Amino acid sequence: MVGYKSSHVAFFDYNTTKVENSFEFFPAEEEEGEVVCMDAHELQPQLVTGHLNGTLNVFDFKQMKVIQTTDCVPEEEDKKNGVYIQSIKYFNNCANIIVGLSNGNINLYDAKGTLQNVIEKAHTQKHDEGVNCLLAIQNFAGSTKQGATSSNMPFFVSGGADGCMKVFEHTQYQVPIPEKPEQSEGKDLAKAEEKEPKKEEPTNWYDYSLQ
């Protein structure tokens, strides 16, 4: 699989080295649709791509169509400053997608493209040139019966233009949902609505930096 500046992705036959199929993500007039980075799903016939315009696409290469799109650079100010997706990686048994941005931030999304967490300015110590690469740390001892390697270890590595390699641990847990007021008789619904909801604690990140 090869991504191009023209926003095309091409699929080559391993034996013949010839192009079997290709797909264009954006029209030819879309100058910032360049495919900057991509990663293949471990089990599904899917490909996640990161583009110069800040778009994340999940592409099904059996159906040859985009099945999900996420704007990773939603702020207009960031778009004006040319922030784009610089690196991308499936993570946590492909339940998450990590995105490294050119402004040094690292975003964590779930498989549906919902933003779960942001590590701000992970790589801006020497140069403001972003997150060059991402690597999910594999659990090589936990292979499945089919022989596929499990990637359920909660660690990933990032490398930046600042010359630093950082190892992050991601601890996941569900954020408690505020309880709805009971509808039974004898309850003061007004007071129930005023009840302070449970605090939503952020996901924990641990930074083991090697500089």
Side-chain angles (χ1 to χ4, degrees):
M1 297 174 288
V2 179
Y4 293 90
K5 191 173 182 178
S6 61
S7 89
H8 282 81
V9 61
F11 300 87
F12 289 81
D13 183 276
Y14 180 80
N15 296 312
T16 65
T17 69
K18 294 181 179 180
V19 176
E20 285 190 331
N21 219 331
S22 66
F23 182 85
E24 184 181 28
F25 286 100
F26 299 97
E29 58 270 16
E30 176 62 73
E31 296 180 357
E32 298 185 349
E34 175 183 344
V35 180
V36 179
C37 49
M38 57 186 178
D39 190 34
H41 196 285
E42 291 180 357
L43 301 174
Q44 303 296 328
Q46 295 175 6
L47 181 72
V48 62
T49 59
H51 299 264
L52 197 63
N53 58 12
T55 301
L56 177 158
N57 283 315
V58 177
F59 180 75
D60 187 310
F61 51 81
K62 275 198 171 180
Q63 302 181 62
M64 292 301 292
K65 69 176 184 179
V66 175
I67 59 175
Q68 180 182 307
T69 298
T70 302
D71 186 0
C72 297
V73 188
E75 301 295 331
E76 286 300 324
E77 188 65 26
D78 288 336
K79 290 183 184 296
K80 290 179 181 178
N81 291 333
V83 177
Y84 65 95
I85 298 175
Q86 200 167 23
S87 51
I88 200 164
K89 189 70 180 176
Y90 276 113
F91 175 62
N92 189 28
N93 282 332
C94 296
N96 297 100
I97 300 170
I98 320 168
V99 173
L101 298 177
S102 61
N103 63 357
N105 289 0
I106 298 176
N107 293 356
L108 177 79
Y109 298 87
D110 65 14
K112 296 181 179 180
T114 302
L115 181 64
Q116 292 190 325
N117 212 313
V118 177
I119 305 173
E120 294 186 354
K121 304 300 180 184
H123 288 280
T124 54
Q125 296 184 26
K126 296 180 180 178
H127 305 283
D128 192 7
E129 296 180 15
V131 184
N132 290 345
C133 55
L134 292 164
L135 174 67
I137 299 178
Q138 306 287 335
N139 180 12
F140 292 104
S143 59
T144 66
K145 293 181 180 179
Q146 289 78 19
T149 302
S150 171
S151 61
N152 58 2
M153 292 186 71
F155 298 94
F156 71 88
V157 183
S158 65
D162 52 8
C164 296
M165 180 181 75
K166 294 190 175 185
V167 181
F168 293 94
E169 177 183 1
H170 175 227
T171 304
Q172 288 187 314
Y173 55 88
Q174 290 187 348
V175 177
I177 301 172
E179 297 178 357
K180 294 183 179 180
E182 297 182 8
Q183 300 297 325
S184 59
E185 295 181 2
K187 296 286 185 180
D188 190 341
L189 297 180
K191 288 184 179 180
E193 290 177 354
E194 292 175 0
K195 184 179 178 181
E196 184 178 350
K198 295 179 182 179
K199 293 182 179 180
E200 295 187 2
E201 299 180 6
T203 303
N204 294 331
W205 291 98
Y206 300 96
D207 178 359
Y208 304 96
S209 301
L210 302 176
Q211 301 182 20

